[in-house]
Amino acid sequence: MSPVTGRDGLLVSPARAGRPRIRYHQGGSVASDTSVLDTIVDLTAVSVDHSSLPTREFMLVRLAALMAVDAPPASYLANADATEKSGITADDIQEVMIAIAPVVGTARVVSAAGKILRAMGLAIAVGEAELAGDGDML
């Protein structure tokens, strides 16, 4: 996918060209779309392409790193598509947690488990909003 110039002159992916970044609603409320998350997802895909590791192992390492730094739920959400496409299962994620627990500590592993569950909830909420037709992040 080659970049194109968006309305503000910045390079964007063709899928995002012309999409508004902020939506203004009657009554003055503002809702942002998923531009930041989309950009992070794009960066994840590019980094997978530039690594010599097989995709599955790359994403297992990425998940371990997210757990080690106590990443927020949105970070797991940004990596969810690539993780799913690489064939990683819930059992694989549990095995990563077991492997890193002695190094990063049990508190980080428990924190990661909760954040992964929250990321799954965010993914469901965003999907439902898109199906409902409003496309705004909740």
Side-chain angles (χ1 to χ4, degrees):
M1 184 182 303
S2 62
V4 297
T5 303
R7 64 181 170 182
D8 53 5
L10 299 175
L11 293 179
V12 296
S13 68
R16 291 186 31 221
R19 278 188 20 203
R21 292 194 176 129
I22 305 259
R23 294 192 177 124
Y24 298 93
H25 297 282
Q26 204 169 24
S29 65
V30 178
S32 63
D33 67 7
T34 60
S35 294
V36 172
L37 183 59
D38 292 344
T39 300
I40 294 168
V41 170
D42 291 346
L43 290 170
T44 297
V46 168
S47 65
V48 169
D49 290 343
H50 286 108
S51 174
S52 61
L53 283 174
T55 304
R56 185 176 188 284
E57 284 74 15
F58 181 93
M59 291 311 301
L60 287 171
V61 171
R62 169 120 352 149
L63 288 171
L66 290 172
M67 292 173 199
V69 300
D70 202 23
S75 293
Y76 293 99
L77 182 59
N79 287 276
D81 188 53
T83 300
E84 180 184 8
K85 288 179 180 173
S86 69
I88 292 174
T89 66
D91 288 339
D92 294 327
I93 294 170
Q94 288 178 357
E95 293 299 324
V96 169
M97 291 177 168
I98 291 167
I100 67 169
V103 177
V104 302
T106 56
R108 284 268 166 102
V109 171
V110 171
S111 176
K115 290 175 180 180
I116 290 169
L117 289 175
R118 283 194 295 272
M120 291 170 59
L122 287 170
I124 291 168
V126 168
E128 287 175 349
E130 289 176 354
L131 286 175
D134 63 13
D136 291 335
M137 280 186 43
L138 303 176

